[in-house]
Amino acid sequence: MRLCTQKNNFTADMSGAVEIERCDLDVKTNSRKHHTELFGEERLIVRRGQPFTVILHLSPGSKEFTPGGTGFTLIVETGPLPRKESDTKASFTLSDSTSETEWSASATSDPSRKTVSVSIASSPNAPIGLYSLEVDQDGQKTSLGQFILLFNAWCPGDAVHMRSETKRQEYVLAQHGQVYRGTHKRIKGSPWNFGQFEAGILDICLKILDDNPKFVSNADQDCSGRRNPVYVSRVLSAMINSNNDRGVLVGEWGEFSGGVHPGVWIGSGDILRQWAESGPVRYGQCWVFAAVACTVSRALGIPCRVVTNFGSAHDTDANLVIENLYDEDGKRISGGDSKQRELNKSILNFHVWVDSWMTRPDLGQEFDGWQTSDPTPQETSEGVFCCGPAPVKAIKEGELTKKYDAPFIFAEVNADVMDLVQLSNGEFVKFSGSTKSVGRFISTKAVGSDDRHDITHQYKYPEGSKEERQVYEKAQHHNKLQQRGAEPGLHLKIKLADNMIVGSDFEVFAVLTNNHMKARTCNFLFFARAVGYNGKLGDGCGFASDKVEVPSGEERRLSLKLDYDSYGAAITSDRLIQLSAITVDKQTIDFCKAEKTIVLDEPQLEIKLLGEATLNQKVAAELTLLNPLPEPLQDCSFTIEGVGLTDSKPITAEYVADLKCPQNSLKMTKKINKMSTKTHKTTTKRYNMTTKMHKMTQNT
């Protein structure tokens, strides 16, 4: 893929427009300001949310450029299907100054009037990737070149913004680092060359994004998603391994013939170049997957660190417990029975992943900061071998319902260990265990030095502390909720009866579920009132209240019986009733509300033809209505209309007698006109007729 060069030479001869001889992308100056000079000066690479400048050299004799008077519209596009709706295309005119929040531009002319400096600011939320740049002068477009847009840790409006310059230097710009391996008693750092600024590496990183299955299936949606570092990190987590796609590395933990032993690699560059040339590279293990992911993240502008967890649990069934099985002779049990498959778990001497820095607007500000992603293929997430990103803060606090894959990562650093012996009768009995052997000396390279920095405190409270046990119990609780698709807290919903027909008495229920870890006591209120189709509330027609105590994990119901005597006079012809349930926990100031509008069913009208339907002959139809009301219907009438059957106008037939009691039916026979030739194709006893039942003295 050939990208834009520093200068683009062309002459645009456009009547009434400024004639541009060439465009200088001013790579050297822009690269220095955007911290991209290490990529070289062959092309323009900038970071989003920050202005860059291009210089337009005007042709001799060109119309003079006048700020505010020259009609420039700049157009930027990325991806194969650029669209404004997807934020992969933007067009903007010149302004007095650039904006910090959206694509914008301003321009000035030099004293000689031979050049125009155009300052272009990208949106801090723009998708990253390769962009084209062109100028439109009254419909005449001129290409100015191409540029690559990256995430910007220096921009306060960017989701990856970092306040500390020393941390930006470490987590975005540093090309060398340390990867820690060994055991918790013997930790050894090994140097790794990330090499994100080496020639060709950035192109390969963009190719990784373009080769991911989401891009292949929906390029527009994928390119639009690249504005979000959460999305990009999740894509990288899947693409660094090759389990579901033609990703970068093949994992292997046994036989290494036909490839490179994972311990031989000392840098990411060779791996990425091999992948770009010939596909998945053999072989990688956790530290190699993580180091390559770090290279790609830093190249794209996402601050990233490599993290090693000593005593790392692999929890396959998400119960946050690692069970070791022994027989009565003290030998470890291994095998293929269902119990052993369930317990096919392990505690690794160490495991390596990456943390990436970003905000989490999808979860809330309290979960901004470091996010854990694990590109090593261990378990599937949403059907794909990937893991994360999950907020480190959520891992520490046991908030396991937060996206993505928090239960698995929590178990890696905080699972309990249980030793079980299998008795001769097949029963498993616990004989020992530990709450402290998982998640030790969590390590990363220190900022600005090759020293090891212990970050265990960022992932968990001190082992054995009261806080650590409380978090573990909360995590167990949240994990159970997540497995059944529930959220923590109090939840209120309204359940309806099956048959709610006008005139009937029926019950509705408000259901309060307590997904907190402790019991809650709440005041429970349940209202019903009539409402019109336009939302205008009418009179109340039902009320119930109670004070309930709801144990953890249980639910309580409050029933409300709606009698026709109460709602009959309140409802309108729209037959709508609005139900509102409210609970108040005064101790915790926790309020819940649920609303639902119900439509009462009308009684069914039955239409029956009496005799054979013959073309051009009258036919009699019997209309039947079952009265559902606990009172008589008076002065009733039927209105009938059918194409070709009623001379293009409705027929109204009155029923003089009262329909005095419920469950009695009202029947009327009415002859319909001769069937016209327009209905000749209607040969069955079903006709296109509409009927209405009028009740003169009361709405039904």
Side-chain angles (χ1 to χ4, degrees):
M1 176 174 58
R2 181 173 177 80
L3 303 181
C4 60
T5 59
Q6 179 178 352
K7 297 180 180 179
N8 293 290
N9 297 303
F10 48 79
T11 299
D13 184 8
M14 299 177 291
S15 177
V18 171
E19 295 180 24
I20 303 170
E21 183 179 51
R22 61 187 176 89
C23 174
D24 182 358
L25 298 179
D26 199 9
V27 173
K28 186 173 182 179
T29 302
N30 287 320
S31 296
R32 176 174 50 81
K33 291 181 178 179
H34 284 254
H35 309 279
T36 59
E37 63 269 30
L38 292 175
F39 284 115
E41 298 181 6
E42 294 182 356
R43 56 191 172 174
L44 180 59
I45 302 171
V46 294
R47 301 186 187 276
R48 65 183 192 173
Q50 181 178 339
F52 61 94
T53 301
V54 299
I55 302 171
L56 307 181
H57 293 261
L58 305 185
S59 301
S62 168
K63 175 185 175 182
E64 186 175 302
F65 174 82
T66 305
T70 302
F72 269 24
T73 298
L74 292 162
I75 302 171
V76 293
E77 297 180 341
T78 187
L81 302 167
R83 298 192 315 134
K84 291 182 179 180
E85 296 80 3
S86 302
D87 287 341
T88 50
K89 178 179 180 179
S91 59
F92 44 97
T93 57
L94 297 178
S95 304
D96 294 336
S97 61
T98 56
S99 169
E100 295 181 351
T101 60
E102 60 185 357
W103 285 97
S104 57
S106 63
T108 58
S109 179
D110 77 332
S112 70
R113 306 293 184 183
K114 294 181 179 180
T115 64
V116 178
S117 294
V118 182
S119 179
I120 301 171
S122 61
S123 165
N125 297 310
I128 64 165
L130 174 64
Y131 278 79
S132 64
L133 172 65
E134 64 181 6
V135 62
D136 184 344
Q137 298 186 74
D138 298 324
Q140 301 181 72
K141 296 180 180 180
T142 305
S143 173
L144 301 181
Q146 294 178 317
F147 63 93
I148 293 176
L149 190 67
L150 304 178
F151 292 109
N152 191 355
W154 286 263
C155 174
D158 197 305
V160 302
H161 174 244
M162 277 189 134
R163 290 191 177 92
S164 168
E165 176 60 23
T166 56
K167 290 182 178 179
R168 292 193 292 252
Q169 292 288 328
E170 177 69 42
Y171 298 127
V172 180
L173 301 182
Q175 298 192 75
H176 304 280
Q178 294 283 322
V179 178
Y180 295 96
R181 292 185 285 166
T183 69
H184 72 278
K185 291 185 176 180
R186 187 176 176 83
I187 299 174
K188 181 175 177 56
S190 300
W192 190 272
N193 179 29
F194 296 116
Q196 68 268 32
F197 297 111
E198 292 178 6
I201 294 300
L202 180 56
D203 292 339
I204 296 172
C205 295
L206 295 176
K207 175 178 169 58
I208 290 173
L209 296 182
D210 287 347
D211 281 10
N212 95 82
K214 293 182 179 180
F215 177 84
V216 175
S217 64
N218 191 331
D220 174 63
Q221 183 175 321
D222 177 77
C223 288
S224 179
R226 296 179 191 181
R227 77 188 84 176
N228 184 358
V230 175
Y231 177 83
V232 172
S233 295
R234 190 153 173 82
V235 167
L236 294 181
S237 174
M239 282 297 295
I240 299 303
N241 71 74
S242 61
N243 281 42
N244 298 106
D245 41 54
R246 289 185 57 80
V248 177
L249 278 161
V250 177
E252 180 58 54
W253 287 263
E255 175 57 49
F256 302 107
S257 60
V260 177
H261 189 288
V264 173
W265 302 112
I266 59 172
S268 303
D270 285 347
I271 295 171
L272 290 170
R273 280 186 282 267
Q274 285 188 36
W275 173 79
E277 292 174 2
S278 55
V281 178
R282 302 173 183 269
Y283 292 104
Q285 290 184 4
C286 64
W287 70 92
V288 185
F289 287 108
V292 172
C294 184
T295 294
V296 179
S297 297
R298 290 184 182 182
L300 298 177
I302 301 174
C304 190
R305 66 186 185 185
V306 177
V307 175
T308 302
N309 176 41
F310 291 94
S312 189
H314 181 181
D315 182 17
T316 57
D317 63 358
N319 70 348
L320 311 185
V321 179
I322 303 299
E323 298 97 336
N324 297 318
L325 301 184
Y326 299 87
D327 63 20
E328 291 182 308
D329 296 324
K331 296 179 181 179
R332 285 290 295 267
I333 297 176
S334 61
D337 61 19
S338 59
K339 180 66 176 177
Q340 183 57 34
R341 284 195 298 270
E342 176 187 334
L343 303 178
N344 188 19
K345 309 179 181 185
S346 59
I347 299 177
L348 308 175
N349 286 329
F350 68 91
H351 184 59
V352 187
W353 57 69
V354 292
D355 285 347
S356 303
W357 183 271
M358 63 195 70
T359 60
R360 291 301 300 264
D362 56 327
L363 302 181
Q365 189 174 359
E366 65 270 30
F367 296 107
D368 292 349
W370 290 115
Q371 313 288 321
T372 295
S373 295
D374 191 348
T376 301
Q378 298 183 89
E379 302 293 331
T380 59
S381 173
E382 298 178 341
V384 177
F385 277 98
C386 66
C387 182
V392 172
K393 182 66 177 295
I395 303 306
K396 181 174 182 177
E397 299 299 333
E399 297 285 346
L400 302 196
T401 60
K402 306 303 179 185
K403 293 182 178 180
Y404 291 90
D405 308 308
F408 184 81
I409 299 170
F410 180 89
E412 288 184 303
V413 301
N414 220 357
D416 283 355
V417 178
M418 186 182 300
D419 296 318
L420 303 171
V421 60
Q422 187 176 28
L423 304 180
S424 57
N425 62 2
E427 181 183 357
F428 285 91
V429 177
K430 177 183 175 181
F431 66 91
S432 69
S434 172
T435 63
K436 301 179 181 180
S437 57
V438 170
R440 299 181 175 185
F441 299 98
I442 303 175
S443 305
T444 191
K445 177 186 172 297
V447 175
S449 76
D450 285 339
D451 294 339
R452 184 183 71 87
H453 178 43
D454 193 300
I455 57 173
T456 308
H457 64 284
Q458 296 181 16
Y459 276 86
K460 59 196 296 188
Y461 288 98
E463 289 289 3
S465 67
K466 178 181 178 182
E467 294 87 351
E468 188 267 340
R469 281 294 92 188
Q470 289 175 339
V471 165
Y472 184 83
E473 291 172 4
K474 180 170 70 173
Q476 285 277 25
H477 177 69
H478 284 194
N479 196 36
K480 292 175 182 177
L481 293 178
Q482 188 180 56
Q483 289 177 1
R484 65 173 192 257
E487 290 287 336
L490 291 172
H491 298 277
L492 186 60
K493 60 183 177 182
I494 295 172
K495 291 191 174 182
L496 306 178
D498 291 332
N499 297 310
M500 297 180 295
I501 302 174
V502 173
S504 66
D505 300 338
F506 56 89
E507 276 189 305
V508 291
F509 300 89
V511 183
L512 178 64
T513 304
N514 179 16
N515 286 341
H516 286 292
M517 294 181 66
K518 296 181 179 179
R520 293 295 180 93
T521 300
C522 301
N523 291 330
F524 209 156
L525 308 173
F526 200 4
F527 306 86
R529 61 190 306 179
V531 63
Y533 81 95
N534 59 358
K536 184 178 180 180
L537 293 174
D539 294 335
C541 52
F543 174 71
S545 66
D546 197 3
K547 186 173 184 178
V548 296
E549 180 177 347
V550 192
S552 174
E554 297 188 16
E555 66 179 31
R556 292 292 182 266
R557 293 189 171 204
L558 180 61
S559 66
L560 175 60
K561 187 174 182 181
L562 295 176
D563 298 324
Y564 176 73
D565 290 342
S566 299
Y567 72 76
I571 62 174
T572 70
S573 59
D574 300 319
R575 311 183 317 282
L576 299 175
I577 297 176
Q578 184 184 84
L579 304 174
S580 300
I582 298 174
T583 61
V584 182
D585 182 348
K586 293 185 177 179
Q587 185 174 0
T588 60
I589 317 299
D590 195 354
F591 292 79
C592 291
K593 182 180 180 181
E595 282 190 345
K596 186 170 286 188
T597 299
I598 59 176
V599 183
L600 300 180
D601 295 329
E602 289 182 314
Q604 293 291 324
L605 285 171
E606 294 183 5
I607 304 173
K608 180 181 179 182
L609 294 182
L610 304 178
E612 189 74 22
T614 305
L615 189 66
N616 294 322
Q617 298 292 324
K618 289 187 176 183
V619 63
E622 181 182 80
L623 312 178
T624 305
L625 170 71
L626 186 68
N627 178 17
L629 304 183
E631 59 186 284
L633 289 174
Q634 300 175 355
D635 301 325
C636 300
S637 67
F638 286 100
T639 299
I640 311 165
E641 186 173 5
V643 176
L645 299 174
T646 60
D647 291 334
S648 300
K649 58 183 179 181
I651 299 174
T652 298
E654 295 185 358
Y655 188 90
V656 179
D658 294 344
L659 188 57
K660 294 185 177 180
C661 58
Q663 307 306 319
N664 283 357
S665 60
L666 179 156
K667 292 186 179 181
M668 175 171 287
T669 302
K670 183 67 180 177
K671 288 190 176 181
I672 303 174
N673 290 343
K674 297 177 181 179
M675 296 176 63
S676 71
T677 55
K678 292 181 181 179
T679 60
H680 183 72
K681 291 184 179 180
T682 304
T683 57
T684 67
K685 293 185 179 181
R686 296 181 63 189
Y687 300 93
N688 181 23
M689 293 188 287
T690 59
T691 62
K692 293 191 296 182
M693 187 277 295
H694 298 279
K695 181 175 180 294
M696 306 304 180
T697 60
Q698 183 169 333
N699 291 322
T700 62

